[in-house]
């Protein structure tokens, strides 16, 4: 697809004129006007904060996945631009360049000392070894160690230096729909200056460590929160925070575990995030609900029943997609969330856990037994 096919609302005609005469723009306005990294006024040292407007609108499409052309134009190019790449420069973001073997990647990205091949699929496509091999072959022909495969939702980093089968060469995955963690991970990897300095290997290590930390914190919340709640009930301690402190003094909890748990304690009505719980047929799940944004996130480590109801074909198909993408993993008689996953509603999350229709506003409850409905904006 030629760059000229991009919507005129993102066209370079908006970038003329002196930057000194331009008003300061919000992140959303910068995205709307298509200002490249060199043309935008500098407003924020943190890359993700430049891009939340774009991510917010893109994530509304996740339940109705677009095809490859829309992913390329409206997701990939938009995010590359927000990350600092000059998508109007065909020497930097190179569309469909034919290599010596007669094949061509969707994009070759060349910035400073860094370069990678980018292969794009429709959002409904589950990327796998065939796509990994395809992208890695483009990267090798380009003389690069790195390739990235994406369907717009999932971004898979392929490291040609890793041994084994193509699936063994996956260095990292990041997935949209994980809230701020996706923004931080994605733009930590795709920041144009990371590539300009050929520092991508270090960025991969940093994001990998960050993902491991989130998994460790999820395990602590899953395993240690009941310890604090038991301590709170046993000694009739007024608050969760004080109970966590007491558990540390009793040797039931480490200070590091306390710090994680206190950061996730149930907040009063109207605060940023509410922690909720749901148990059904032996499956236990935890979630975060943000009344201000409506975001409902099932946390890593949560368990879902393995078998969906016979009538729930749509729910089962959704769960099968999560199994294929690695969000869910079958472990014995349960499906276990391997990472945090966002749902549009509490009922959608409850259906995924129970394998059938549920009123999520009723079945998700906080530590005091109050339903999610208690926190629902009026």
């Amino acid at each position: 697809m030629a760059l000229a096919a991009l919507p005129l609302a993102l066209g370079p005609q908006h970038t003329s004129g002196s930057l000194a005469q331009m008003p300061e723009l919000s992140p959303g306005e910068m995205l709307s006007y298509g200002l490249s990294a060199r043309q935008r006024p500098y407003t924020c040292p943190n890359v993700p904060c430049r891009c939340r407007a774009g991510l917010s609108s893109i994530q509304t499409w996740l339940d109705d996945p677009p095809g490859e052309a829309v992913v390329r134009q409206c997701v990939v190019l938009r995010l590359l631009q927000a990350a600092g790449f000059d998508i109007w420069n065909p020497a930097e973001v190179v569309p469909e360049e034919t290599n010596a073997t007669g094949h061509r990647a969707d994009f070759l990205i060349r910035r400073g000392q860094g370069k990678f091949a980018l292969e794009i699929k429709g959002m409904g496509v589950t990327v796998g070894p065939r796509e990994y091999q395809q992208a890695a072959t483009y990267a090798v022909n380009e003389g690069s160690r790195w390739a990235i495969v994406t369907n717009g939702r999932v971004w898979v980093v392929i490291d040609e230096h890793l041994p084994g089968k193509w699936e063994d060469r996956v260095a990292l995955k990041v997935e949209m729909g994980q809230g701020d963690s996706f923004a931080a991970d994605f733009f930590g990897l795709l920041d144009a200056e990371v590539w300009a300095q050929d520092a991508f290997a270090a960025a991969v290590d940093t994001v990998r460590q960050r993902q491991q930390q989130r998994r460790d914190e999820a395990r602590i919340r899953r395993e240690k929160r009941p310890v604090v709640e038991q301590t709170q009930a046993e000694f009739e301690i007024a608050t969760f925070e004080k109970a966590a402190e007491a558990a540390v003094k009793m040797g039931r909890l480490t200070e590091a575990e306390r710090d994680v748990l206190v950061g996730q304690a149930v907040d009063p009505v109207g605060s940023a995030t509410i922690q909720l719980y749901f148990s059904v047929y032996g499956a236990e799940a935890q979630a975060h609900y943000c009344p201000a944004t409506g975001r409902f996130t099932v946390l890593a480590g949560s368990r879902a029943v393995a078998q969906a109801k016979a009538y729930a074909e749509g729910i089962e198909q959704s769960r099968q997609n999560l199994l294929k993408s690695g969000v869910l993993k079958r472990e014995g008689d349960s499906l276990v969330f391997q990472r945090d996953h966002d749902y549009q509603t509490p009922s959608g999350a409850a259906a995924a856990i129970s394998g059938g229709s549920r009123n999520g506003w009723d079945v998700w409850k906080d530590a005091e037994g109050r339903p999610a409905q208690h926190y629902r904006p009026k």
Side-chain angles (χ1 to χ4, degrees):
M1 179 194 70
L3 289 179
L6 287 167
L8 293 179
L10 291 175
Q13 68 269 24
H14 294 287
T15 64
S16 61
S18 168
L19 286 179
Q21 298 172 347
M22 292 177 64
E24 184 165 315
L25 302 177
S26 70
E29 290 170 325
M30 287 190 288
L31 286 166
S32 296
Y33 286 111
L35 299 182
S36 73
R38 298 182 180 88
Q39 295 165 318
R40 297 179 201 146
Y42 182 80
T43 61
C44 177
N46 185 4
V47 175
C49 85
R50 292 206 308 255
C51 313
R52 295 191 191 281
L55 281 174
S56 178
S57 62
I58 289 169
Q59 291 192 66
T60 63
W61 305 339
L62 298 187
D63 288 337
D64 185 18
E68 181 176 330
V70 174
V71 169
R72 181 192 308 221
Q73 178 170 324
C74 300
V75 178
V76 173
L77 285 174
R78 189 173 189 177
L79 293 181
L80 286 176
Q81 182 186 46
F85 290 98
D86 186 356
I87 66 171
W88 305 111
N89 179 0
E92 181 166 308
V93 179
V94 188
E96 300 186 350
E97 180 179 84
T98 303
N99 60 30
T101 65
H103 298 92
R104 56 189 184 185
D106 288 312
F107 288 108
L108 294 173
I109 312 298
R110 301 167 179 150
R111 177 67 176 258
Q113 301 178 57
K115 53 188 176 181
F116 66 94
L118 179 57
E119 184 64 18
I120 302 166
K121 302 298 177 184
M123 198 171 280
V125 175
T126 300
V127 296
R130 184 178 66 176
E131 290 77 22
Y132 303 159
Q133 179 181 9
Q134 184 181 15
T137 300
Y138 296 143
V140 169
N141 288 328
E142 176 68 5
S144 173
R145 168 184 176 181
W146 303 105
I148 295 177
V149 181
T150 183
N151 60 11
R153 179 201 297 263
V154 180
W155 296 70
V156 184
V157 177
I158 309 300
D159 182 356
E160 177 59 23
H161 287 188
L162 293 176
K165 300 177 181 178
W166 293 109
E167 54 266 39
D168 297 328
R169 302 186 193 187
V170 173
L172 197 65
K173 288 184 181 182
V174 295
E175 183 170 355
M176 195 178 295
Q178 297 176 359
D180 289 344
S181 64
F182 172 80
D185 291 349
F186 179 89
F187 292 106
L189 294 169
L190 269 294
D191 186 349
E193 292 311 306
V194 168
W195 288 96
Q197 299 167 26
D198 200 17
F200 187 64
V204 168
D205 287 340
T206 297
V207 173
R208 188 184 291 120
Q209 292 170 16
R210 188 185 300 152
Q211 290 181 337
Q212 184 60 52
Q213 180 181 349
R214 288 198 292 267
R215 287 192 291 269
D216 290 342
E217 290 178 352
R219 177 188 55 78
I220 290 170
R221 291 193 294 268
R222 182 175 69 252
E223 296 177 359
K224 298 299 182 179
R225 183 180 181 88
V227 174
V228 177
E229 292 172 340
Q230 180 182 352
T231 302
Q232 185 176 9
E234 183 179 351
F235 295 96
E236 299 182 349
I237 300 173
T239 68
F240 183 91
E241 289 82 356
K242 290 180 179 179
E245 193 65 45
V248 170
K249 293 178 180 179
M250 296 176 194
R252 299 179 176 182
L253 209 65
T254 67
E255 291 187 1
E257 290 169 339
R258 174 204 60 196
D259 292 343
V260 171
L261 291 171
V262 167
Q264 300 297 331
V266 176
D267 293 320
V269 176
S271 62
T273 302
I274 313 299
Q275 184 142 348
L276 299 170
Y277 306 87
F278 175 39
S279 298
V280 58
Y281 306 132
E284 297 184 352
Q286 298 183 37
H288 285 165
Y289 171 51
C290 180
T293 64
R295 178 182 296 156
F296 198 94
T297 305
V298 174
L299 302 182
S302 295
R303 291 181 175 270
V305 299
Q307 186 64 45
K309 301 291 186 182
Y311 66 82
E313 294 180 2
I315 294 170
E316 178 60 18
Q317 183 58 54
S318 175
R319 289 164 23 126
Q320 289 299 318
N321 290 339
L322 295 181
L323 282 165
K324 291 178 182 178
S325 66
V327 174
L328 284 175
K329 180 180 179 182
R330 194 175 297 276
E331 294 184 8
D333 295 332
S334 301
L335 304 179
V336 181
F337 282 80
Q338 302 301 298
R339 51 184 178 268
D340 295 356
H341 186 71
D342 284 356
Y343 285 89
Q344 295 293 322
T345 64
S347 295
I353 300 300
S354 66
S357 298
R358 294 274 176 159
N359 185 338
W361 295 108
D362 291 338
V363 300
W364 288 98
K365 301 182 187 296
D366 68 13
E368 305 299 323
R370 292 171 297 202
Q373 180 68 35
H374 177 76
Y375 300 98
R376 191 175 187 178
K378 303 301 183 184

